[in-house]
Amino acid sequence: MGFSLKLYNTLTREKAEFKPIDRQNVRMYVCGPTVYDYAHIGNARPVIVFDVLFRLLRHVYGENHVTYARNITDVDDKINARALRDHPGLPLNEAIRAVTEKTERQFHADAAELGCLEPTVEPRATDNIEQMIGIIDKLIANGHAYVAGGEVLFDTKSMHDYGRLSKRPLDEQQAGARVAVDAHKKNPGDFVLWKLSSHNEPGWESPWGRGRPGWHIECSAMSGRYLGEVFDIHGGGLDLIFPHHENEIAQSRCAHGTDVMANVWMHNGFVQVEGRKMSKSEGNFITIYDLLHTETFGGRKWPGDVLRLAMLMTHYREPIDFSVKRLEEAERLLSKWPAADPSGAAPCDTVLEALSDDLNTVAAVQALHALAQEAQSDKALLPVFAASADLLGVLPQKTEIDEALASAVDALVAMRLELLKAKNFAEADKIRNELSEKGIQLKDGKDPATGERVTTWEVKR
Ligand SMILES: [Zn+2]
């Protein structure tokens, strides 16, 4: 690659050349889902954006030289509440497992349909409780945490540059905290590392009694375990900068005595739906599942690659407005792209250069489209197009339809035309529906010369 990879770093508020700590093992962590409900379209954005980065890093450093960790948050008070609501008859642990396993399965299905590669490791919070206790122990021992009011709290004043990522002055953090309920805290901004559990809450034994971890500690524990005390890239949505990422940094740095937790912090922008903030009360709360499998958005289902491309048509740091219009635009684009095989070809430089400029997927999609058009007259470009599309994860799939199947479809279409001539509409519709279920769409038209009905067919996307 003749140009360098540049990434915007929230920590420095600058775009700079990316220099991995170890080119043999480039390490990236992205905050994953809390598994209590269907993932919404806002959750889809980091999954897609960091999948593109994962693909790019694999291209630059080699497939086996990138470690991508994305966690599953399976301990959270929202999960408890959902378990009690949905499975009141089950013992708590079983009820929780029922909720988390089902949600996790659905999340994996969503991510696969959005064309995302699986991360290298996908640790679960509940499998890392011991590591969390280890970090909390260290933080108490070195004076960064204290026990008070049934909780272990991080002492924000003990860290000289707490707030460096979000650049929030400590005064503002304190003003934002709810002082009344925080009487046991040394400073209003102190946050929970561990809290005691009552009998109807999940809990693990610890030096501070049976309890459960706070929100932030799991990511410090899992990134430390799988990527090391200092790693290359940490990603997530903009809404996680404060308090989640700020507090991850505080925990990890103070426990390990390091200057940074990750060298580069990357954040994707917000997602709106049809020009408005997405919320259940606005009635525009839309899940990935809804988009893929129901007709609640725009009166139809949308293929995963259309959703993915629609997301990549905006730069990841910009806010995105998810709309039917945008999805239609993405679909139109995709329909003009050829299905092809990369067969070992290298991606096109223009696409690569765009992505290397802080993941400029907007320019990359434009370059890809230009390449698709060129490939129409120059078939030799097809593998280059395919390799480039694959880098964005939007490689059109070849629909395998063999000759035997094609002639079977032709025969059924001819039979249907005969039935229509004989005005046997019920039987004719039956054939149309059967073919439709097999993914074959019929199009009726008229022969301009004879005025007779002609039917063509195509494989639905
Ligand atoms: Zn996290």
Side-chain angles (χ1 to χ4, degrees):
M1 201 166 85
F3 31 84
S4 62
L5 171 56
K6 292 195 185 71
L7 298 172
Y8 181 85
N9 188 351
T10 309
L11 200 57
T12 57
R13 304 292 197 270
E14 271 172 3
K15 189 157 76 175
E17 186 180 341
F18 174 65
K19 294 192 182 112
I21 298 165
D22 175 6
R23 294 180 67 95
Q24 297 303 310
N25 184 17
V26 181
R27 290 158 288 158
M28 170 166 80
Y29 186 91
V30 175
C31 295
T34 302
V35 284
Y36 72 102
D37 205 348
Y38 286 102
H40 58 68
I41 189 66
N43 304 135
R45 196 169 188 192
V47 175
I48 294 170
V49 163
F50 291 104
D51 179 66
V52 173
L53 181 55
F54 183 38
R55 286 167 187 265
L56 180 63
L57 292 170
R58 281 158 53 107
H59 174 77
V60 176
Y61 298 99
E63 271 187 27
N64 300 319
H65 299 287
V66 184
T67 306
Y68 172 20
R70 186 183 63 208
N71 66 300
I72 296 271
T73 298
D74 60 352
V75 50
D76 187 283
D77 287 351
K78 287 194 281 287
I79 297 174
N80 306 345
R82 190 57 62 101
L84 292 170
R85 188 193 83 178
D86 291 354
H87 306 281
L90 285 183
L92 183 65
N93 281 345
E94 280 176 46
I96 286 176
R97 203 177 318 124
V99 169
T100 56
E101 281 181 0
K102 175 169 166 265
T103 315
E104 190 181 319
R105 255 197 317 276
Q106 185 59 52
F107 174 74
H108 285 145
D110 291 346
E113 285 196 74
L114 293 172
C116 297
L117 303 172
E118 283 176 24
T120 324
V121 277
E122 198 172 36
R124 280 181 198 82
T126 53
D127 292 333
N128 290 274
I129 301 286
E130 201 184 306
Q131 284 72 16
M132 298 183 214
I133 291 174
I135 293 180
I136 299 170
D137 240 346
K138 269 191 185 172
L139 289 171
I140 294 175
N142 61 20
H144 290 290
Y146 58 95
V147 182
E151 294 175 338
V152 183
L153 292 147
F154 185 90
D155 183 350
T156 46
K157 275 257 170 73
S158 74
M159 184 184 187
H160 74 281
D161 58 352
Y162 178 81
R164 193 171 127 200
L165 179 74
S166 58
K167 303 215 183 331
R168 287 161 66 112
L170 207 55
D171 294 348
E172 196 182 302
Q173 292 157 23
Q174 291 176 349
R178 290 165 301 161
V179 179
V181 293
D182 294 339
H184 62 293
K185 291 184 179 179
K186 283 190 190 171
N187 319 290
D190 293 355
F191 57 91
V192 172
L193 300 170
W194 189 263
K195 54 189 163 189
L196 296 181
S197 293
S198 64
H199 68 281
N200 62 351
E201 287 166 333
W204 290 262
E205 292 307 326
S206 83
W208 321 285
R210 183 181 169 277
R212 60 198 191 283
W215 174 24
H216 319 293
I217 191 72
E218 65 176 273
C219 289
S220 287
M222 289 184 270
S223 62
R225 178 172 180 181
Y226 292 98
L227 305 180
E229 294 180 357
V230 178
F231 52 95
D232 296 296
I233 299 169
H234 191 310
L238 202 60
D239 52 326
L240 293 182
I241 294 178
F242 189 87
H244 185 54
H245 289 167
E246 196 72 81
N247 293 346
E248 279 186 31
I249 291 174
Q251 295 160 164
S252 293
R253 283 184 49 203
C254 291
H256 306 313
T258 54
D259 285 335
V260 289
M261 175 186 182
N263 284 331
V264 182
W265 286 78
M266 293 176 69
H267 294 96
N268 64 270
F270 290 114
V271 176
Q272 289 198 320
V273 175
E274 298 286 5
R276 290 175 304 156
K277 188 173 189 287
M278 183 169 55
S279 76
K280 287 204 164 131
S281 58
E282 284 271 352
N284 66 347
F285 189 88
I286 187 102
T287 68
I288 305 170
Y289 180 86
D290 285 338
L291 286 162
L292 291 168
H293 300 289
T294 74
E295 295 175 359
T296 47
F297 197 69
R300 53 164 288 192
K301 296 172 187 169
W302 299 94
D305 54 354
V306 171
L307 299 184
R308 181 178 177 106
L309 183 61
M311 202 65 100
L312 297 176
M313 279 158 43
T314 297
H315 188 260
Y316 78 92
R317 286 199 283 128
E318 299 292 324
I320 196 171
D321 185 23
F322 220 73
S323 63
V324 171
K325 202 171 139 239
R326 162 181 289 270
L327 287 169
E328 285 171 347
E329 206 181 311
E331 188 163 53
R332 219 168 16 249
L333 219 50
L334 271 173
S335 72
K336 292 178 184 152
W337 292 356
D341 209 312
S343 38
C348 134
D349 268 0
T350 329
V351 171
L352 207 48
E353 199 168 355
L355 290 180
S356 303
D357 181 16
D358 192 31
L359 291 190
N360 189 344
T361 54
V362 183
V365 167
Q366 279 166 359
L368 197 57
H369 187 59
L371 189 59
Q373 284 175 318
E374 276 179 65
Q376 273 179 345
S377 52
D378 184 358
K379 300 281 179 241
L381 286 174
L382 280 173
V384 182
F385 168 81
S388 312
D390 197 31
L391 206 51
L392 282 158
V394 290
L395 179 59
Q397 295 299 308
K398 266 196 253 179
T399 324
E400 294 297 339
I401 183 147
D402 60 18
E403 271 180 53
L405 180 59
S407 58
V409 175
D410 285 339
L412 282 167
V413 168
M415 196 191 290
R416 175 172 167 274
L417 280 174
E418 291 302 316
L419 288 164
L420 287 171
K421 265 189 207 159
K423 302 210 183 304
N424 189 346
F425 298 114
E427 287 299 310
D429 284 351
K430 222 189 218 174
I431 292 180
R432 171 190 280 274
N433 294 341
E434 270 170 28
L435 286 173
S436 172
E437 274 166 28
K438 294 193 170 73
I440 288 157
Q441 182 130 39
L442 301 188
K443 276 189 184 156
D444 287 324
K446 264 187 186 152
D447 185 320
T450 62
E452 282 207 29
R453 183 196 291 264
V454 282
T455 301
T456 55
W457 58 270
E458 63 180 24
V459 181
K460 282 188 282 192
R461 281 180 40 77

